[in-house]
Amino acid sequence: MYGRSGNPTWDAFEAALGALEGGVAVAFSSGLAAISTVLAGLAEGATVVVPGDAYAGTRRLVLEAGARGRLKVRTVDVADTDATVAACAGADLLWLESPTNPLMAIADLEPVIAGAHESACPVVVDNTFATPLLQRPLDAGADLVVHSVTKFLAGHSDVVLGAVVTRDEEERGRLAAHRTLHGAVPGPMEVFLALRGLRTLAVRLERSQATAGLLARRLAEHPAVEVVRYPGLTGHPGHDIAARQMKGFGGVLAFDVVGGAVAADAVCGAVGLIVPSTSLGGVETQIERRNRWEGEESTPASLLRLSVGLEHVEDLWSDLSQALNRTT
Ligand SMILES: *Cc1c(COP(=O)(O)O)cnc(C)c1O
């Protein structure tokens, strides 16, 4: 009828993503459009519980709504199940990420979601890092899943796209109506590319996380590295939970380098194969010092986020280690 209300390319992508997550999906023009649509469903003065280390865009959106008095905001450490559940008392929405971006904290999804529901607090999980192949939040009881399709799902750093998934047909209708009325519509070409990307998600993720696991172990031994944040490492505080609730530990890790922001920036400047860039989930390995951005003040200054792509592990290690060796 009219391109803002729907088209067959969206239908094909939404059917595929819905099947992967175990619900019905609505595609949006970006991850943030998906996130803001979910938040728009909250009543004036509603209380939202968000991870203190959530994706910076989510935090800014929620905090801005808080500053304008539209929402009340409570921040929590989602790795602390009791504190997170306690914060849901009297709240209208719990926002979760697991792993969080970029601190890689793990939330124990089932007990946290069940605890929130005891307070009649609906739960949204941003599943961008894990993708439905590694964890399905709707199965763990979540009410909504959001994605930055820009990242692993599309997988080639060539589109900006988002999605929301629900099990509730009425909710799907409300989300789609909001998309139409507010114009948060994805371009059909972008959605076509995301659908094509989805077809290789399983093999991309398999390679990416195998390499991420190896790099995490080697980085942990490197004298220029203070700490490696990857749930696949047995020393990670969320390792046991992640091992239980995820089918794999994913393709993103973070590590803090010795020598603060200056040393971390030097590493980003010294890599050759690895691409310094702010996105993640592409076929190329991407590195970034997150703390350089506004809204990332709570991220350690020397933390580098590494999104592991599909290059050969030894090529990546020789690039990373030569860059690190220059700083020590
Ligand atoms: C990138 C990202 C977003 C925002 O998605 P866009 O597609 O850039 O709008 C949301 N959540 C997480 C976890 C992200 O990494």
Side-chain angles (χ1 to χ4, degrees):
M1 193 271 281
Y2 191 70
R4 182 153 44 73
S5 31
N7 70 68
T9 313
W10 295 358
D11 297 344
F13 173 74
E14 289 169 347
L17 181 58
L20 288 173
E21 286 286 8
V24 283
V26 185
F28 284 90
S29 50
S30 68
L32 267 172
I35 292 165
S36 73
T37 299
V38 171
L39 294 174
L42 290 167
E44 190 82 25
T47 298
V48 190
V49 181
V50 287
D53 57 339
Y55 166 68
T58 304
R59 247 183 308 151
R60 275 180 73 178
L61 204 53
V62 167
L63 292 174
E64 268 179 34
R68 276 186 282 116
R70 202 187 97 66
L71 297 177
K72 294 189 193 77
V73 184
R74 297 177 187 162
T75 54
V76 286
D77 170 7
V78 294
D80 185 338
T81 299
D82 293 343
T84 304
V85 169
C88 293
D92 302 286
L93 188 71
L94 169 62
W95 198 276
L96 289 177
E97 285 177 19
S98 184
T100 57
N101 178 9
L103 292 186
M104 305 301 294
I106 298 293
D108 198 349
L109 292 179
E110 280 188 23
V112 169
I113 293 167
H117 284 168
E118 269 174 36
S119 300
C121 177
V123 183
V124 182
V125 178
D126 183 332
N127 206 26
T128 299
F129 272 32
T131 84
L133 299 192
L134 302 185
Q135 104 191 340
R136 299 213 315 173
L138 296 178
D139 290 347
D143 301 276
L144 293 173
V145 168
V146 303
H147 276 287
S148 171
V149 177
T150 311
K151 315 292 169 54
F152 288 98
L153 296 184
H156 294 73
S157 308
D158 53 7
V159 300
V160 174
L161 218 52
V164 184
V165 194
T166 171
R167 278 201 166 128
D168 180 348
E169 281 290 349
E170 262 177 45
E171 179 67 10
R172 200 212 101 87
R174 194 194 66 75
L175 292 163
H178 189 278
R179 172 181 64 187
T180 303
L181 198 57
H182 291 254
V185 291
M189 183 64 188
E190 277 83 350
V191 177
F192 161 75
L193 286 170
L195 185 57
R196 198 155 88 161
L198 269 189
R199 292 179 179 135
T200 54
L201 176 62
V203 283
R204 285 187 286 109
L205 209 53
E206 204 175 299
R207 170 67 170 265
S208 161
Q209 71 178 354
T211 307
L214 266 167
L215 293 178
R217 283 190 287 280
R218 291 189 193 176
L219 283 167
E221 310 265 287
H222 199 285
V225 174
E226 244 163 33
V227 61
V228 179
R229 304 163 191 270
Y230 184 64
L233 294 178
T234 50
H236 185 283
H239 173 74
D240 291 345
I241 295 164
R244 177 164 31 83
Q245 80 187 2
M246 300 175 79
K247 293 204 176 92
F249 301 106
V252 183
L253 60 90
F255 59 101
D256 304 9
V257 299
V258 177
V262 172
D265 281 336
V267 171
C268 293
V271 288
L273 174 66
I274 297 168
V275 185
S277 84
T278 198
S279 194
L280 60 99
V283 296
E284 59 288 287
T285 296
Q286 298 160 284
I287 194 164
E288 173 160 84
R289 191 171 75 80
R290 288 300 291 170
N291 175 269
R292 70 197 182 103
W293 296 110
E294 191 192 337
E296 287 278 356
E297 293 78 13
S298 58
T299 302
S302 67
L303 179 147
L304 294 174
R305 185 183 64 200
L306 191 73
S307 168
V308 180
L310 308 185
E311 305 90 335
H312 195 286
V313 62
E314 298 305 340
D315 289 337
L316 289 172
W317 179 244
S318 66
D319 193 28
L320 253 187
S321 53
Q322 65 80 24
L324 285 166
N325 291 343
R326 285 203 218 176
T327 73
T328 44

